[in-house]
Amino acid sequence: MRITKKLIVVGTGIVVLVGGGGAAAFAATAAAAPKVTAEKAMEIAHKQVPGAWVSELDHDRRGTRPDVWEIELTKGSVRYGVDVDAVTGKITDHGTKRADDDGDQDDD
């Protein structure tokens, strides 16, 4: 009977360790939330392309590289792609293409 009790205690310890690891992983994910909000990123993009409207907004987690807000703006027949660093708010990339162009190539 003592053997059974030891197995139960050891099993409970493993569950606690695994559960604690999950909580730590959740906390790390929560801490990685972008410092620059979607609204702020759109403001930054609008300063780059005044008078345009936001047609698409995505938050891109890039692993070892800085996360960015990928914003697509449309002004007339031109689409603008603007990437805003999710931590610093700096524009990391921008390009243009015609709105009726189905290709994914930027004209930069």
Side-chain angles (χ1 to χ4, degrees), residues 24-98:
F26 177 76
T29 302
K35 291 182 180 181
V36 175
T37 65
E39 284 182 352
K40 183 64 178 171
M42 286 189 290
E43 286 176 21
I44 294 166
H46 274 126
K47 287 180 184 175
Q48 181 74 20
V49 187
W53 59 276
V54 175
S55 53
E56 191 173 327
L57 171 70
D58 294 310
H59 182 253
D60 186 13
R61 295 187 185 272
R62 297 188 171 181
T64 58
R65 298 182 313 172
D67 296 347
V68 297
W69 287 103
E70 294 178 343
I71 305 167
E72 185 175 288
L73 302 108
T74 303
K75 183 176 181 181
S77 63
V78 180
R79 283 189 293 187
Y80 299 85
V82 178
D83 289 355
V84 178
D85 188 300
V87 175
T88 65
K90 293 182 180 179
I91 294 175
T92 59
D93 191 24
H94 67 282
T96 61
K97 61 183 172 181
R98 292 191 50 80

